[in-house]
């Protein structure tokens, strides 16, 4: 049984499609982004197209696409966190 990561309730709703209101390019789905590992290397991004909402507190749980999850698992130990604004 899936539990909410925020309140711990075991009442998650059905799997749905996550969308943003961004209409530029193909960035309609939320992405998990990290800093570029080098000047000429691509910025690691992983797309979450599906999610569930907690029926108790409303928190969203996002799920990476299977292909992005495989890449994320393979690259996780080399990812660099983005800089935080001060």
């Amino acid at each position: 049984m899936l539990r909410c990561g925020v309140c711990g309730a075991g009442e998650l709703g059905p799997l749905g499609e996550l969308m943003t209101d961004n209409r530029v390019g193909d960035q309609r789905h939320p992405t998990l982004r990290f800093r570029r590992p080098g000047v000429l290397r691509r910025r690691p991004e992983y797309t979450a197209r599906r999610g569930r909402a907690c029926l108790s507190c409303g928190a969203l749980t996002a799920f990476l696409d299977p292909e992005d999850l495989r890449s994320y698992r393979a690259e996780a130990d080399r990812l660099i966190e983005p800089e935080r604004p001060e």
Side-chain angles (χ1 to χ4, degrees), residues 8-25:
E11 305 176 59
L12 294 182
L15 191 63
E17 184 177 15
L18 291 176
M19 300 291 288
T20 66
D21 61 356
N22 187 356
R23 302 280 186 235
V24 178

Side-chain angles (χ1 to χ4, degrees), residues 1-48:
M1 168 168 62
L2 292 174
R3 291 198 158 293
C4 175
V6 175
C7 73
E11 305 176 59
L12 294 182
L15 191 63
E17 184 177 15
L18 291 176
M19 300 291 288
T20 66
D21 61 356
N22 187 356
R23 302 280 186 235
V24 178
D26 192 29
Q27 294 297 319
R28 299 179 319 166
H29 301 283
T31 56
L32 182 61
R33 294 180 178 173
F34 296 88
R35 284 182 34 197
R36 242 177 244 285
V39 177
L40 299 176
R41 305 211 38 209
R42 72 169 181 82
R43 180 178 183 169
E45 293 185 0
Y46 308 94
T47 303

Side-chain angles (χ1 to χ4, degrees), residues 26-75:
D26 192 29
Q27 294 297 319
R28 299 179 319 166
H29 301 283
T31 56
L32 182 61
R33 294 180 178 173
F34 296 88
R35 284 182 34 197
R36 242 177 244 285
V39 177
L40 299 176
R41 305 211 38 209
R42 72 169 181 82
R43 180 178 183 169
E45 293 185 0
Y46 308 94
T47 303
R49 287 190 168 87
R50 303 275 182 212
R52 293 180 188 270
C54 176
L55 297 173
S56 293
C57 72
L60 289 175
T61 301
F63 298 96
L64 296 177
D65 286 350
E67 182 179 312
D68 282 344
L69 178 57
R70 282 190 291 277
S71 295
Y72 182 67
R73 284 179 177 155
E75 300 169 1

